[in-house]
Amino acid sequence: QVQLVESGGGLVQAGGSLKLSCAASGNIFSLLLLGWYRQAPGKQRELVAIITPGGSTNYRDVVKGRFTISRDTAKNTVYLQMNSLRPEDTAVYYCYLATLGSREYWGQGTQVTVSS
C-alpha cells in the first residue's frame, strides 16, 4: 500500500508563509497526478493545486500567484509553498496521489490556520 505523510502546517499571521510537504512511500506504480486539496469548516473539500509527472502545474484561481506546487521525483515528495496567506486560506490541507489503475491515496491532513 501507499502512505502519504504530510508536515508543515501550523498557525501563521495574515501575510505570512508556510511550506507543506508530503512524502509518498510504498507500492507506487505509474504515477498519474499529485495534488493538494483543502477543506475549511462547513465547506466542501476543494482542489488547490495539481502537478503532473511531467511537471505541469495548475492552481485554483484564488491561490494563483501566492501558492506554488513542486515535487522532488527522486524523493517521491510533493510540496506546497504558501505565501501571502489570508484568513480564508484556513483549512485542513490534504495531499493527494493518483495512479493509473484506479488507485488514489490521501494524506492524513495538516491544519493551516491564518489569523487576522
Side-chain angles (χ1 to χ4, degrees):
Q1 61 180 350
V2 173
Q3 287 185 292
L4 303 177
V5 180
E6 300 179 12
S7 62
L11 174 65
V12 65
Q13 289 184 296
S17 298
L18 287 172
K19 187 174 184 178
L20 308 182
S21 64
C22 177
S25 62
N27 298 323
I28 304 173
F29 300 105
S30 193
L31 177 64
L32 178 63
L33 187 69
L34 290 165
W36 291 91
Y37 287 73
R38 68 186 183 186
Q39 187 167 22
K43 299 181 69 176
Q44 298 270 34
R45 188 173 297 185
E46 62 186 23
L47 180 66
V48 177
I50 57 172
I51 186 165
T52 69
S56 297
T57 61
N58 211 341
Y59 300 89
R60 192 174 194 87
D61 285 346
V62 73
V63 309
K64 286 181 179 178
R66 300 188 297 120
F67 292 11
T68 303
I69 188 170
S70 61
R71 87 274 191 246
D72 184 333
T73 56
K75 296 181 178 180
N76 289 325
T77 300
V78 62
Y79 305 93
L80 186 68
Q81 177 68 51
M82 303 183 292
N83 299 325
S84 301
L85 282 162
R86 305 166 180 169
E88 53 264 41
D89 295 318
T90 295
V92 177
Y93 284 70
Y94 300 88
C95 65
Y96 172 81
L97 182 152
T99 65
L100 295 174
S102 302
R103 299 291 185 183
E104 59 184 22
Y105 305 91
W106 294 90
Q108 79 279 7
T110 185
Q111 177 70 49
V112 172
T113 302
V114 184
S115 65
S116 59

